[in-house]
Short mmCIF file of all heavy atoms in Angstrom, two decimals:
data_model
loop_
_atom_site.label_atom_id
_atom_site.label_comp_id
_atom_site.label_asym_id
_atom_site.label_seq_id
_atom_site.Cartn_x
_atom_site.Cartn_y
_atom_site.Cartn_z
N LYS A 41 9.61 -39.73 -36.35
CA LYS A 41 9.40 -41.16 -36.56
C LYS A 41 8.92 -41.45 -37.99
O LYS A 41 9.33 -42.43 -38.61
CB LYS A 41 8.35 -41.70 -35.57
CG LYS A 41 8.80 -41.77 -34.12
CD LYS A 41 7.67 -42.35 -33.27
CE LYS A 41 8.05 -42.46 -31.82
NZ LYS A 41 6.94 -43.04 -30.99
N LEU A 42 8.05 -40.57 -38.49
CA LEU A 42 7.50 -40.74 -39.83
C LEU A 42 8.56 -40.50 -40.90
O LEU A 42 8.56 -41.14 -41.96
CB LEU A 42 6.31 -39.79 -40.04
CG LEU A 42 5.49 -39.96 -41.30
CD1 LEU A 42 4.75 -41.30 -41.29
CD2 LEU A 42 4.49 -38.81 -41.45
N GLY A 43 9.46 -39.56 -40.64
CA GLY A 43 10.56 -39.28 -41.55
C GLY A 43 10.27 -38.24 -42.61
O GLY A 43 11.12 -37.99 -43.48
N THR A 44 9.10 -37.64 -42.58
CA THR A 44 8.74 -36.61 -43.55
C THR A 44 7.64 -35.74 -42.97
O THR A 44 6.96 -36.14 -42.01
CB THR A 44 8.24 -37.24 -44.87
OG1 THR A 44 8.01 -36.22 -45.83
CG2 THR A 44 6.96 -38.03 -44.65
N ILE A 45 7.46 -34.55 -43.52
CA ILE A 45 6.37 -33.69 -43.06
C ILE A 45 5.05 -34.37 -43.37
O ILE A 45 4.82 -34.79 -44.50
CB ILE A 45 6.44 -32.30 -43.73
CG1 ILE A 45 7.72 -31.58 -43.30
CG2 ILE A 45 5.22 -31.46 -43.36
CD1 ILE A 45 7.95 -30.25 -44.00
N PRO A 46 4.18 -34.53 -42.39
CA PRO A 46 2.96 -35.32 -42.58
C PRO A 46 1.98 -34.67 -43.55
O PRO A 46 1.91 -33.44 -43.68
CB PRO A 46 2.35 -35.37 -41.17
CG PRO A 46 3.44 -34.96 -40.24
CD PRO A 46 4.33 -34.04 -41.00
N GLU A 47 1.21 -35.52 -44.20
CA GLU A 47 0.08 -35.06 -45.00
C GLU A 47 -1.12 -34.77 -44.10
O GLU A 47 -1.92 -33.89 -44.40
CB GLU A 47 -0.29 -36.14 -46.02
CG GLU A 47 -1.44 -35.78 -46.94
CD GLU A 47 -1.10 -34.65 -47.90
OE1 GLU A 47 0.12 -34.38 -48.11
OE2 GLU A 47 -2.02 -34.04 -48.48
N LYS A 48 -1.18 -35.49 -42.96
CA LYS A 48 -2.28 -35.33 -42.02
C LYS A 48 -1.76 -35.45 -40.59
O LYS A 48 -0.92 -36.31 -40.31
CB LYS A 48 -3.36 -36.40 -42.28
CG LYS A 48 -4.58 -36.30 -41.40
CD LYS A 48 -5.44 -35.08 -41.73
CE LYS A 48 -6.74 -35.07 -40.93
NZ LYS A 48 -7.51 -33.82 -41.14
N ILE A 49 -2.25 -34.57 -39.72
CA ILE A 49 -1.89 -34.62 -38.30
C ILE A 49 -3.18 -34.66 -37.48
O ILE A 49 -3.98 -33.73 -37.52
CB ILE A 49 -1.05 -33.40 -37.87
CG1 ILE A 49 0.21 -33.27 -38.72
CG2 ILE A 49 -0.69 -33.49 -36.38
CD1 ILE A 49 1.02 -32.01 -38.43
N ASP A 50 -3.37 -35.76 -36.76
CA ASP A 50 -4.54 -35.92 -35.89
C ASP A 50 -4.09 -35.87 -34.44
O ASP A 50 -3.22 -36.67 -34.03
CB ASP A 50 -5.24 -37.25 -36.16
CG ASP A 50 -5.87 -37.29 -37.54
OD1 ASP A 50 -6.87 -36.59 -37.75
OD2 ASP A 50 -5.32 -38.01 -38.41
N ILE A 51 -4.68 -34.96 -33.68
CA ILE A 51 -4.25 -34.73 -32.30
C ILE A 51 -5.44 -34.88 -31.35
O ILE A 51 -6.52 -34.33 -31.60
CB ILE A 51 -3.64 -33.33 -32.14
CG1 ILE A 51 -2.39 -33.22 -33.02
CG2 ILE A 51 -3.28 -33.04 -30.69
CD1 ILE A 51 -1.78 -31.85 -33.02
N LEU A 52 -5.22 -35.64 -30.28
CA LEU A 52 -6.20 -35.78 -29.20
C LEU A 52 -5.59 -35.22 -27.93
O LEU A 52 -4.46 -35.57 -27.57
CB LEU A 52 -6.57 -37.25 -29.01
CG LEU A 52 -7.29 -37.92 -30.17
CD1 LEU A 52 -7.45 -39.42 -29.90
CD2 LEU A 52 -8.64 -37.28 -30.42
N LEU A 53 -6.35 -34.35 -27.24
CA LEU A 53 -5.81 -33.63 -26.08
C LEU A 53 -6.73 -33.77 -24.88
O LEU A 53 -7.96 -33.83 -25.02
CB LEU A 53 -5.66 -32.14 -26.39
CG LEU A 53 -4.79 -31.76 -27.59
CD1 LEU A 53 -4.87 -30.25 -27.82
CD2 LEU A 53 -3.34 -32.18 -27.35
N SER A 54 -6.13 -33.75 -23.70
CA SER A 54 -6.93 -33.60 -22.48
C SER A 54 -7.47 -32.18 -22.42
O SER A 54 -6.94 -31.25 -23.05
CB SER A 54 -6.07 -33.89 -21.25
OG SER A 54 -4.98 -32.98 -21.18
N ALA A 55 -8.53 -32.00 -21.66
CA ALA A 55 -9.19 -30.70 -21.59
C ALA A 55 -8.26 -29.62 -21.07
O ALA A 55 -8.29 -28.47 -21.54
CB ALA A 55 -10.44 -30.80 -20.71
N ASN A 56 -7.40 -29.95 -20.11
CA ASN A 56 -6.52 -28.93 -19.53
C ASN A 56 -5.46 -28.46 -20.51
O ASN A 56 -5.07 -27.29 -20.50
CB ASN A 56 -5.87 -29.45 -18.24
CG ASN A 56 -6.84 -29.52 -17.09
OD1 ASN A 56 -7.70 -30.39 -17.04
ND2 ASN A 56 -6.72 -28.59 -16.16
N ILE A 57 -4.97 -29.37 -21.34
CA ILE A 57 -4.03 -28.95 -22.38
C ILE A 57 -4.72 -28.01 -23.35
O ILE A 57 -4.18 -26.95 -23.72
CB ILE A 57 -3.45 -30.17 -23.13
CG1 ILE A 57 -2.50 -30.96 -22.23
CG2 ILE A 57 -2.72 -29.73 -24.39
CD1 ILE A 57 -1.17 -30.28 -21.94
N LEU A 58 -5.92 -28.37 -23.78
CA LEU A 58 -6.65 -27.53 -24.71
C LEU A 58 -6.91 -26.15 -24.10
O LEU A 58 -6.71 -25.11 -24.75
CB LEU A 58 -7.98 -28.19 -25.09
CG LEU A 58 -8.84 -27.45 -26.12
CD1 LEU A 58 -8.10 -27.33 -27.44
CD2 LEU A 58 -10.17 -28.16 -26.31
N LYS A 59 -7.33 -26.13 -22.85
CA LYS A 59 -7.64 -24.88 -22.16
C LYS A 59 -6.42 -23.96 -22.12
O LYS A 59 -6.54 -22.75 -22.33
CB LYS A 59 -8.11 -25.19 -20.73
CG LYS A 59 -8.44 -23.98 -19.89
CD LYS A 59 -8.86 -24.38 -18.48
CE LYS A 59 -7.69 -24.84 -17.66
NZ LYS A 59 -8.06 -25.07 -16.24
N ASN A 60 -5.25 -24.53 -21.87
CA ASN A 60 -4.05 -23.72 -21.69
C ASN A 60 -3.35 -23.38 -23.00
O ASN A 60 -2.31 -22.71 -22.98
CB ASN A 60 -3.07 -24.43 -20.76
CG ASN A 60 -3.44 -24.27 -19.30
OD1 ASN A 60 -4.32 -23.49 -18.96
ND2 ASN A 60 -2.78 -25.01 -18.44
N ALA A 61 -3.88 -23.87 -24.12
CA ALA A 61 -3.21 -23.64 -25.40
C ALA A 61 -4.02 -22.78 -26.35
O ALA A 61 -3.56 -22.46 -27.44
CB ALA A 61 -2.90 -24.98 -26.06
N MET A 62 -5.21 -22.38 -25.96
CA MET A 62 -6.12 -21.70 -26.88
C MET A 62 -5.77 -20.24 -27.13
O MET A 62 -5.97 -19.73 -28.23
CB MET A 62 -7.56 -21.79 -26.35
CG MET A 62 -8.15 -23.17 -26.42
SD MET A 62 -9.75 -23.28 -25.56
CE MET A 62 -10.72 -22.10 -26.51
N GLY A 63 -5.28 -19.55 -26.11
CA GLY A 63 -5.19 -18.10 -26.23
C GLY A 63 -3.82 -17.49 -26.04
O GLY A 63 -3.72 -16.29 -25.79
N VAL A 64 -2.78 -18.28 -26.20
CA VAL A 64 -1.44 -17.78 -25.92
C VAL A 64 -0.64 -17.62 -27.21
O VAL A 64 -0.82 -18.37 -28.16
CB VAL A 64 -0.72 -18.74 -24.94
CG1 VAL A 64 -0.43 -20.06 -25.59
CG2 VAL A 64 0.55 -18.11 -24.38
N GLY A 65 0.24 -16.63 -27.23
CA GLY A 65 1.09 -16.40 -28.39
C GLY A 65 2.14 -17.47 -28.56
O GLY A 65 2.69 -17.99 -27.59
N ILE A 66 2.44 -17.79 -29.82
CA ILE A 66 3.44 -18.80 -30.15
C ILE A 66 4.72 -18.09 -30.60
O ILE A 66 4.67 -17.20 -31.47
CB ILE A 66 2.94 -19.75 -31.25
CG1 ILE A 66 1.60 -20.38 -30.83
CG2 ILE A 66 3.97 -20.82 -31.55
CD1 ILE A 66 1.62 -21.13 -29.53
N PRO A 67 5.87 -18.44 -30.03
CA PRO A 67 7.13 -17.75 -30.34
C PRO A 67 7.44 -17.69 -31.83
O PRO A 67 7.16 -18.63 -32.58
CB PRO A 67 8.18 -18.58 -29.59
CG PRO A 67 7.43 -19.20 -28.46
CD PRO A 67 6.06 -19.48 -29.00
N HIS A 68 8.00 -16.57 -32.24
CA HIS A 68 8.47 -16.31 -33.60
C HIS A 68 7.31 -16.17 -34.59
O HIS A 68 7.51 -16.23 -35.82
CB HIS A 68 9.43 -17.40 -34.09
CG HIS A 68 10.41 -16.90 -35.10
ND1 HIS A 68 11.73 -16.65 -34.80
CD2 HIS A 68 10.27 -16.58 -36.40
CE1 HIS A 68 12.34 -16.22 -35.89
NE2 HIS A 68 11.48 -16.16 -36.88
N THR A 69 6.09 -16.03 -34.09
CA THR A 69 4.95 -15.84 -34.98
C THR A 69 4.13 -14.67 -34.47
O THR A 69 4.34 -14.17 -33.37
CB THR A 69 4.04 -17.09 -35.02
OG1 THR A 69 3.26 -17.14 -33.82
CG2 THR A 69 4.84 -18.36 -35.14
N ASP A 70 3.16 -14.26 -35.27
CA ASP A 70 2.21 -13.25 -34.83
C ASP A 70 0.86 -13.88 -34.57
O ASP A 70 -0.18 -13.25 -34.72
CB ASP A 70 2.09 -12.14 -35.88
CG ASP A 70 1.71 -12.70 -37.25
OD1 ASP A 70 1.60 -13.94 -37.38
OD2 ASP A 70 1.53 -11.90 -38.18
N MET A 71 0.88 -15.16 -34.20
CA MET A 71 -0.35 -15.93 -34.07
C MET A 71 -0.47 -16.54 -32.67
O MET A 71 0.52 -16.67 -31.95
CB MET A 71 -0.38 -17.04 -35.12
CG MET A 71 -0.30 -16.52 -36.55
SD MET A 71 -0.17 -17.84 -37.78
CE MET A 71 -1.83 -18.53 -37.69
N ILE A 72 -1.71 -16.90 -32.34
CA ILE A 72 -1.97 -17.56 -31.07
C ILE A 72 -2.58 -18.93 -31.32
O ILE A 72 -3.08 -19.22 -32.40
CB ILE A 72 -2.93 -16.74 -30.18
CG1 ILE A 72 -4.32 -16.61 -30.84
CG2 ILE A 72 -2.36 -15.38 -29.87
CD1 ILE A 72 -5.38 -16.03 -29.94
N GLY A 73 -2.50 -19.79 -30.32
CA GLY A 73 -3.22 -21.04 -30.34
C GLY A 73 -2.48 -22.22 -30.94
O GLY A 73 -1.30 -22.13 -31.33
N LEU A 74 -3.17 -23.34 -31.03
CA LEU A 74 -2.55 -24.61 -31.37
C LEU A 74 -2.18 -24.84 -32.84
O LEU A 74 -1.13 -25.43 -33.11
CB LEU A 74 -3.45 -25.76 -30.91
CG LEU A 74 -3.37 -26.09 -29.42
CD1 LEU A 74 -4.49 -27.04 -29.03
CD2 LEU A 74 -2.02 -26.71 -29.10
N PRO A 75 -2.99 -24.43 -33.81
CA PRO A 75 -2.66 -24.80 -35.19
C PRO A 75 -1.24 -24.39 -35.62
O PRO A 75 -0.52 -25.20 -36.22
CB PRO A 75 -3.73 -24.07 -36.01
CG PRO A 75 -4.90 -24.02 -35.08
CD PRO A 75 -4.31 -23.79 -33.73
N ILE A 76 -0.84 -23.18 -35.31
CA ILE A 76 0.50 -22.74 -35.72
C ILE A 76 1.58 -23.49 -34.94
O ILE A 76 2.64 -23.82 -35.49
CB ILE A 76 0.66 -21.21 -35.57
CG1 ILE A 76 1.98 -20.73 -36.18
CG2 ILE A 76 0.54 -20.77 -34.12
CD1 ILE A 76 2.08 -20.91 -37.67
N ALA A 77 1.31 -23.81 -33.68
CA ALA A 77 2.28 -24.58 -32.89
C ALA A 77 2.42 -25.99 -33.47
O ALA A 77 3.53 -26.53 -33.56
CB ALA A 77 1.83 -24.64 -31.43
N VAL A 78 1.31 -26.58 -33.85
CA VAL A 78 1.33 -27.92 -34.44
C VAL A 78 2.10 -27.91 -35.76
O VAL A 78 2.97 -28.77 -36.00
CB VAL A 78 -0.11 -28.42 -34.67
CG1 VAL A 78 -0.12 -29.68 -35.52
CG2 VAL A 78 -0.80 -28.67 -33.33
N ALA A 79 1.79 -26.95 -36.62
CA ALA A 79 2.45 -26.88 -37.92
C ALA A 79 3.96 -26.68 -37.77
O ALA A 79 4.75 -27.33 -38.46
CB ALA A 79 1.84 -25.75 -38.74
N LEU A 80 4.35 -25.79 -36.86
CA LEU A 80 5.78 -25.56 -36.66
C LEU A 80 6.47 -26.77 -36.05
O LEU A 80 7.63 -27.06 -36.38
CB LEU A 80 5.99 -24.33 -35.75
CG LEU A 80 5.75 -22.98 -36.41
CD1 LEU A 80 5.82 -21.87 -35.38
CD2 LEU A 80 6.77 -22.73 -37.52
N GLY A 81 5.77 -27.50 -35.18
CA GLY A 81 6.34 -28.73 -34.63
C GLY A 81 6.66 -29.73 -35.71
O GLY A 81 7.70 -30.40 -35.66
N ALA A 82 5.79 -29.82 -36.72
CA ALA A 82 6.01 -30.75 -37.82
C ALA A 82 7.08 -30.27 -38.79
O ALA A 82 7.89 -31.06 -39.29
CB ALA A 82 4.70 -30.98 -38.58
N ILE A 83 7.11 -28.97 -39.05
CA ILE A 83 7.99 -28.42 -40.08
C ILE A 83 9.40 -28.14 -39.58
O ILE A 83 10.38 -28.39 -40.28
CB ILE A 83 7.36 -27.12 -40.65
CG1 ILE A 83 6.11 -27.48 -41.46
CG2 ILE A 83 8.35 -26.34 -41.50
CD1 ILE A 83 5.24 -26.30 -41.78
N ALA A 84 9.51 -27.63 -38.35
CA ALA A 84 10.82 -27.16 -37.89
C ALA A 84 11.19 -27.61 -36.48
O ALA A 84 12.27 -27.28 -36.00
CB ALA A 84 10.86 -25.63 -37.94
N GLY A 85 10.30 -28.35 -35.81
CA GLY A 85 10.56 -28.75 -34.43
C GLY A 85 11.68 -29.77 -34.32
O GLY A 85 11.88 -30.59 -35.22
N LYS A 86 12.41 -29.71 -33.22
CA LYS A 86 13.45 -30.70 -32.91
C LYS A 86 13.17 -31.22 -31.50
O LYS A 86 13.35 -30.51 -30.51
CB LYS A 86 14.84 -30.08 -33.00
CG LYS A 86 15.24 -29.65 -34.40
CD LYS A 86 16.67 -29.09 -34.41
CE LYS A 86 17.14 -28.78 -35.83
NZ LYS A 86 16.36 -27.69 -36.46
N SER A 87 12.73 -32.47 -31.41
CA SER A 87 12.30 -33.01 -30.13
C SER A 87 13.42 -33.10 -29.11
O SER A 87 13.17 -33.09 -27.90
CB SER A 87 11.67 -34.40 -30.32
OG SER A 87 12.63 -35.34 -30.77
N VAL A 88 14.66 -33.14 -29.57
CA VAL A 88 15.79 -33.21 -28.65
C VAL A 88 15.87 -31.97 -27.76
O VAL A 88 16.40 -32.01 -26.66
CB VAL A 88 17.12 -33.40 -29.42
CG1 VAL A 88 17.46 -32.16 -30.23
CG2 VAL A 88 18.25 -33.77 -28.47
N TYR A 89 15.28 -30.87 -28.23
CA TYR A 89 15.30 -29.63 -27.45
C TYR A 89 14.22 -29.60 -26.37
O TYR A 89 14.16 -28.65 -25.59
CB TYR A 89 15.08 -28.42 -28.37
CG TYR A 89 16.19 -28.13 -29.33
CD1 TYR A 89 15.94 -27.40 -30.49
CD2 TYR A 89 17.50 -28.54 -29.09
CE1 TYR A 89 16.96 -27.11 -31.40
CE2 TYR A 89 18.52 -28.26 -29.98
CZ TYR A 89 18.24 -27.54 -31.13
OH TYR A 89 19.24 -27.24 -32.03
N GLU A 90 13.33 -30.58 -26.36
CA GLU A 90 12.23 -30.67 -25.39
C GLU A 90 11.41 -29.38 -25.37
O GLU A 90 10.84 -29.02 -26.40
CB GLU A 90 12.78 -31.06 -24.01
CG GLU A 90 13.40 -32.45 -24.01
CD GLU A 90 13.65 -33.02 -22.63
OE1 GLU A 90 13.99 -32.26 -21.70
OE2 GLU A 90 13.49 -34.26 -22.47
N LEU A 91 11.34 -28.66 -24.25
CA LEU A 91 10.47 -27.48 -24.18
C LEU A 91 11.03 -26.27 -24.92
O LEU A 91 10.39 -25.22 -24.96
CB LEU A 91 10.17 -27.11 -22.72
CG LEU A 91 9.31 -28.12 -21.96
CD1 LEU A 91 9.07 -27.66 -20.53
CD2 LEU A 91 7.98 -28.36 -22.67
N GLU A 92 12.18 -26.43 -25.54
CA GLU A 92 12.71 -25.43 -26.46
C GLU A 92 12.61 -25.94 -27.90
O GLU A 92 13.38 -25.55 -28.77
CB GLU A 92 14.16 -25.09 -26.11
CG GLU A 92 14.33 -24.43 -24.75
CD GLU A 92 15.77 -24.10 -24.44
OE1 GLU A 92 16.53 -25.03 -24.10
OE2 GLU A 92 16.16 -22.91 -24.55
N VAL A 93 11.64 -26.79 -28.16
CA VAL A 93 11.50 -27.50 -29.43
C VAL A 93 11.46 -26.56 -30.63
O VAL A 93 11.91 -26.93 -31.72
CB VAL A 93 10.24 -28.40 -29.40
CG1 VAL A 93 8.99 -27.59 -29.17
CG2 VAL A 93 10.13 -29.26 -30.65
N LEU A 94 10.98 -25.34 -30.45
CA LEU A 94 10.84 -24.40 -31.58
C LEU A 94 11.94 -23.34 -31.62
O LEU A 94 11.81 -22.36 -32.36
CB LEU A 94 9.47 -23.71 -31.52
CG LEU A 94 8.24 -24.60 -31.57
CD1 LEU A 94 6.97 -23.75 -31.58
CD2 LEU A 94 8.27 -25.53 -32.78
N LYS A 95 13.00 -23.54 -30.89
CA LYS A 95 13.99 -22.46 -30.78
C LYS A 95 14.76 -22.18 -32.07
O LYS A 95 15.33 -21.09 -32.22
CB LYS A 95 14.96 -22.71 -29.63
CG LYS A 95 15.99 -23.80 -29.84
CD LYS A 95 16.93 -23.88 -28.63
CE LYS A 95 18.04 -24.89 -28.82
NZ LYS A 95 18.96 -24.92 -27.66
N ASP A 96 14.77 -23.13 -33.02
CA ASP A 96 15.48 -22.92 -34.28
C ASP A 96 14.56 -22.45 -35.42
O ASP A 96 14.98 -22.38 -36.58
CB ASP A 96 16.19 -24.20 -34.72
CG ASP A 96 17.42 -24.50 -33.89
OD1 ASP A 96 17.86 -23.61 -33.13
OD2 ASP A 96 17.93 -25.64 -33.97
#
Side-chain angles (χ1 to χ4, degrees):
K41 289 182 180 180
L42 188 67
T44 185
I45 295 175
E47 181 68 18
K48 182 70 174 174
I49 303 175
D50 293 289
I51 298 175
L52 295 173
L53 303 174
S54 60
N56 287 74
I57 289 289
L58 183 62
K59 179 181 74 173
N60 280 351
M62 290 172 61
V64 68
I66 305 303
H68 208 105
T69 76
D70 55 357
M71 301 174 70
I72 64 170
L74 280 169
I76 188 65
V78 169
L80 285 173
I83 291 166
K86 294 182 175 65
S87 66
V88 68
Y89 292 157
E90 296 194 325
L91 292 180
E92 295 181 283
V93 60
L94 301 183
K95 73 177 184 178
D96 286 348

